[in-house]
Amino acid sequence: MTSPATSAPQRAGYGQLLRTEGAWSFLLPGFLARQPYAMLTISIVLLVEHTTGSFGLAGAVSATAGVSMALISPQSGKLADRFGQAAVLVPGVFLHAATVGVLIAVALLDAPLWALFAAAVPAGATAPQISAMVRARWAAQLEQSPLMTTAAAFESVTDEFTFVVGPVLATALCTGVHPAAGLIAEASVFLVGGLVFAAQRGTQPVPHGKPSGAGESAGTRVSALGVPGVRVLIAAMLGIGMVFGGLQISLTAFTESIGHPGLNGVMYGAFAGGNMIAAVIVGAVQWKRGPQRRLLTGYPVLVLAAVSLAVAAQLGPWAVLLGAIGTLTGLCIAPCMITCFTLVETLVPAGARTEAFTWLTGAIALGQAAGSTVAGQLADQAGAESGFLAPAIGTGLALAVLLTFRKTLSRPAGGRVAARGVGHRTAVPVD
């Protein structure tokens, strides 16, 4: 089978992508609705650290929300594949606003510690996965198109813009207005943006519970986890998530240790800005190498950057040096993340793509949770600079998984990979 990327009659670029019919109808509301995603965990950290005085506890509560999001959000993705995105999103945004309100109340009323963890679970579980839903809409619009890599890059740019704006906005609100202001803004924007996005029903993928083509009946159910390559991509995203989570805690602890807490948002924004710049470049390049080779080449470079950041942190409290290497680390993340999302379109059948995208974004959240927990404990026990070890550890472990199971990331010669129905865990080629 000839790769669409190699048989394209014209160069795949952002201009061509944005001329896709119906794209703007979901891009604009999707852009608004995803902004709070990068605000949730950092807002929880800042609120809980303010009320308890512990970075370790703040990281653990934030991690609880992240784990809950990672474990529950793929189920909402599966429901969206089956019943439609709007059917899942509309009740979801109302539930999220309510559960975030409970978490705020519990934190400000000095409730027992167990109550903080209990309130963090539904707050994370109900967080709408707008990014995965937007990616699923692109996949439905661009089936087997060379523009899929460009779309994955475009979405990564948009995601990384939220990681530039979100932490800075959350930090400004929590430190300049009220410790709970970040979470209040997060829930409010999710509610408004989510409802507007859900109203754009014309571009949502055909629900998996309805017949959508030959060989696919209403009773057919597929699982993204039935594709071995998806499980490997989840490991890669866990490592990337540990970079995000580890840096959120480490930079917060570092900037407070040098007496300039306001630098936290700026330094994290520089890291996310590097990620965004790299994402723009990746989407503009017409790649000759396949996505598997790009991932196996780029991930070791990411590990090297994370290790360099950890080493630099041990040398002294040099904000400029850490900011520069943090930006370099961000430049290394985007190519890996974009390639992971691009591989989903190659490896996963259409009826399970929202679930697959949600597993990957959920893996980032789970990695953030692990990174926040590890970095928080290290910062509390061994100093702020020790927290920077968490990203190096996470990416190193993920690289070991990628290298060990790299063959699962290739499309079989016979054709596209399809997952079996519920109860099966292997993948089969479809001619």
Side-chain angles (χ1 to χ4, degrees), residues 176-340:
V177 180
H178 188 276
L183 281 178
I184 293 173
E186 183 268 351
S188 301
V189 176
F190 252 148
L191 181 61
V192 175
L195 290 177
V196 174
F197 179 79
Q200 313 307 311
R201 296 173 182 263
T203 54
Q204 73 174 356
V206 176
H208 180 50
K210 300 177 181 179
S212 61
E216 183 176 345
S217 64
T220 302
R221 295 178 60 190
V222 296
S223 172
L225 285 182
V227 180
V230 170
R231 301 195 289 270
V232 176
L233 294 177
I234 287 172
M237 289 300 209
L238 282 169
I240 290 173
M242 284 198 70
V243 178
F244 288 126
L247 286 187
Q248 282 183 350
I249 294 293
S250 299
L251 289 175
T252 301
F254 171 77
T255 53
E256 290 204 359
S257 72
I258 63 175
H260 296 285
L263 284 177
N264 175 34
V266 176
M267 293 183 71
Y268 193 86
F271 157 74
N275 198 350
M276 183 170 62
I277 291 171
V280 172
I281 296 172
V282 170
V285 172
Q286 191 169 16
W287 297 96
K288 296 182 180 179
R289 290 187 174 185
Q292 182 206 30
R293 292 184 64 186
R294 298 203 304 269
L295 183 60
L296 294 175
T297 301
Y299 216 93
V301 179
L302 171 59
V303 174
L304 180 61
V307 171
S308 299
L309 183 63
V311 171
Q314 314 309 311
L315 298 178
W318 299 333
V320 174
L321 177 61
L322 288 179
I325 301 179
T327 303
L328 176 63
T329 305
L331 287 168
C332 295
I333 281 184
C336 299
M337 184 183 297
I338 290 167
T339 306
C340 287

Side-chain angles (χ1 to χ4, degrees), residues 370-389:
S372 296
T373 301
V374 173
Q377 295 298 324
L378 288 172
D380 277 349
Q381 297 177 17
E385 68 279 0
S386 299
F388 290 94
L389 293 170

Side-chain angles (χ1 to χ4, degrees), residues 135 138-139 142 144-153 341-342 345 357:
R135 292 177 190 275
W138 276 124
L142 302 172
Q144 299 297 308
S145 167
L147 285 170
M148 271 305 302
T149 296
T150 308
F341 282 116
T342 302
E345 195 272 340
F357 286 129

Side-chain angles (χ1 to χ4, degrees), residues 7-89:
S7 62
Q10 56 182 311
R11 182 182 179 87
Y14 291 111
Q16 184 183 354
L17 177 73
L18 296 177
R19 289 192 293 271
T20 301
E21 184 178 358
W24 288 103
S25 68
F26 65 84
L27 281 181
L28 293 179
F31 176 78
L32 173 65
R34 79 174 69 190
Q35 295 308 307
Y37 185 82
M39 299 173 64
L40 179 60
T41 54
I42 188 64
S43 295
I44 292 175
V45 167
L46 293 171
L47 174 60
V48 175
E49 192 278 330
H50 172 80
T51 58
T52 66
S54 169
F55 281 110
L57 182 59
V61 174
S62 175
T64 299
V67 170
S68 177
M69 182 190 305
L71 296 179
I72 301 301
S73 60
Q75 307 311 313
S76 68
K78 183 179 293 188
L79 291 174
D81 279 326
R82 191 175 185 189
F83 300 108
Q85 294 181 358
V88 174
L89 191 54

Side-chain angles (χ1 to χ4, degrees), residues 112-141:
L113 294 182
W114 65 264
L116 276 174
F117 287 98
V121 172
T126 56
Q129 299 299 305
I130 303 296
S131 177
M133 292 184 178
V134 172
R135 292 177 190 275
R137 294 190 185 214
W138 276 124
Q141 296 288 321

